[in-house]
Amino acid sequence: MLKRDVVKLALAGEEVPYVPWSCSFTLEAHEKLARHFGREEYDDVVNNHFCRLKSYVGLFEPVGNERYRDIFGVIWNRETDKDIGVIEGQVLPQPTLKGFQMPDPLDGRLFENIEQNIAANKDLFRIFPIGFSLYERAWTLRGMENLMMDFYENPDFVHELFTAIADYNIAQVRHALEYDIDAVYFGDDWGQQHGLLMGPKLWHEFIEPQLRRMYGIVREAGKYVFIHSCGDVDELFDCLIDCGLNCFNPFQPEVMDVFELLERYRGRLAFHGGLSTQKTLPFGSTADVAADTHKLIEAGMPGGYVFSPAHAVEEDVPLENLLTFIEIINSQTGI
């Protein structure tokens, strides 16, 4: 059975021959593993089941002093955070889109090498990711504090901004669907450690309508919808299912009962993540990591689950803990 097929069984909430997995690492964690294995590429060791097809090469233009400009014009300071960065300035200092030009959603760099990647990874589940897909893209342009005030003071502008961002994403998704992909993976953090950043009322008023539009395009094409949202957002799961969601990530055990949710939603919503990146991986022993990994695998065998650390693994995770969960997930298939 192809890895791709095992993932599809898991997404359907059906019993799997083993729990599939797809793990990611920050630049610092990647370098730690690369040093250990003595090579930059070690896909054959981790054996992930997802193939992320989108190319970001050239989409962040260096502007000096470890600053990068993205295709929306946002400046990212990567002096400390090497993977994403911290935003400097505001592209939209006023609550208006006048004079602002959205980037080209069909920029060829966004689809570069997709066909080659599909051909080279026929065994894998093919995902087209769209990061900063709505709320996050809005606040990167407007500023977090300004956008929060705009919800109340400039609601028409927020609707206009969110609609423009969703239109951009939809145009990009429609083109991506011309390729033999399996899923579109949206990224859009809505949560904090306790509840939603903007609260449920504003989420349903401003965000939900655009999700229904974006997710609907994917589901109408017969493909899967994934969402990545950090934080305590499980109050949204039933609504997200109704919008068309198939799989939720990162599934943080610090903010939700992952085992209860697996049982409750199996067959309606699948989960990707679950291994603690806030506690167990950075601060636990190898025995702790092994125990939590085995527990997640056992809970995921009836379906509805793709194993992963709850987020891209950070620099603070000891090498021994990284190697522990990598060895255990591979041992399921005798690799």
Side-chain angles (χ1 to χ4, degrees):
M1 180 178 289
L2 296 177
K3 292 178 179 178
R4 187 184 187 193
D5 297 325
V6 179
V7 172
K8 290 180 180 180
L9 281 177
L11 295 178
E14 298 180 14
E15 186 174 351
V16 291
Y18 63 87
V19 171
W21 64 89
S22 189
C23 310
S24 60
F25 309 92
T26 63
L27 180 62
E28 293 89 350
H30 162 75
E31 291 175 347
K32 189 178 294 186
L33 286 170
R35 286 195 300 271
H36 173 76
F37 292 119
R39 50 196 165 109
E40 280 295 309
E41 300 298 330
Y42 44 82
D43 294 345
D44 59 324
V45 177
V46 179
N47 290 300
N48 279 333
H49 286 49
F50 291 172
C51 174
R52 294 177 182 262
L53 297 170
K54 189 172 181 179
S55 171
Y56 289 95
V57 176
L59 297 180
F60 285 86
E61 174 191 7
V63 294
N65 297 320
E66 297 191 65
R67 270 72 171 173
Y68 295 80
R69 180 187 294 111
D70 70 23
I71 59 173
F72 283 82
V74 177
I75 300 296
W76 299 84
N77 179 342
R78 292 184 178 171
E79 290 178 307
T80 301
D81 182 348
K82 305 297 183 182
D83 288 87
I84 301 176
V86 178
I87 290 173
E88 294 185 342
Q90 297 165 9
V91 174
L92 299 176
Q94 300 299 323
T96 178
L97 290 177
K98 183 179 292 186
F100 175 71
Q101 181 67 44
M102 294 287 287
D104 179 6
L106 303 184
D107 186 319
R109 294 172 296 176
L110 295 165
F111 307 95
E112 192 173 14
N113 298 324
I114 285 184
E115 290 182 337
Q116 295 92 320
N117 285 335
I118 289 174
N121 296 283
K122 295 179 179 179
D123 188 31
L124 304 185
F125 186 83
R126 300 117 183 221
I127 288 176
F128 184 82
I130 298 182
F132 291 82
S133 63
L134 189 64
Y135 166 74
E136 283 189 314
R137 176 50 64 194
W139 75 251
T140 65
L141 293 169
R142 180 76 175 110
M144 177 74 79
E145 184 176 345
N146 286 339
L147 182 64
M148 289 297 191
M149 295 296 291
D150 287 335
F151 280 129
Y152 293 98
E153 295 183 348
N154 303 292
D156 291 343
F157 163 71
V158 177
H159 282 299
E160 180 186 11
L161 176 58
F162 280 18
T163 298
I165 294 168
D167 287 346
Y168 170 88
N169 292 337
I170 287 170
Q172 197 172 120
V173 166
R174 287 190 187 279
H175 187 66
L177 290 169
E178 296 176 10
Y179 298 92
D180 186 15
I181 66 172
D182 293 310
V184 177
Y185 206 127
F186 297 92
D188 204 28
D189 289 347
W190 306 313
Q192 50 193 343
Q193 289 296 99
H194 300 286
L196 303 176
L197 287 163
M198 71 296 295
K201 180 179 181 296
L202 295 176
W203 188 93
H204 288 289
E205 179 180 352
F206 291 95
I207 296 175
E208 179 187 340
Q210 305 299 344
L211 300 189
R212 290 187 181 276
R213 295 177 60 217
M214 295 190 295
Y215 294 3
I217 298 298
V218 181
R219 293 301 297 272
E220 286 170 10
K223 308 300 182 180
Y224 298 92
V225 174
F226 285 59
I227 181 64
H228 165 96
S229 175
C230 292
D232 176 18
V233 301
D234 54 302
E235 65 189 275
L236 301 176
F237 286 168
D238 289 313
C239 180
L240 288 169
I241 292 168
D242 191 56
C243 290
L245 185 66
N246 297 107
C247 186
F248 174 82
N249 166 273
F251 205 34
Q252 295 170 254
E254 294 83 11
V255 300
M256 57 186 69
D257 186 338
V258 297
F259 297 102
E260 189 275 330
L261 290 168
L262 268 172
E263 290 295 326
R264 191 198 317 174
Y265 285 101
R266 185 173 284 119
R268 293 196 295 143
L269 181 65
F271 298 95
H272 171 219
L275 181 61
S276 171
T277 53
Q278 289 179 260
K279 296 179 181 178
T280 304
L281 278 174
F283 303 118
S285 64
T286 55
D288 294 327
V289 173
D292 284 5
T293 301
H294 283 299
K295 189 176 181 181
L296 285 163
I297 289 173
E298 181 180 359
M301 284 300 294
Y305 179 61
V306 178
F307 176 88
S308 174
H311 209 284
V313 179
E314 296 280 356
E315 179 185 19
D316 58 358
V317 176
L319 175 64
E320 293 76 15
N321 286 0
L322 287 169
L323 298 176
T324 295
F325 76 78
I326 290 172
E327 179 180 355
I328 291 171
I329 55 180
N330 276 287
S331 69
Q332 296 181 89
T333 60
I335 296 175

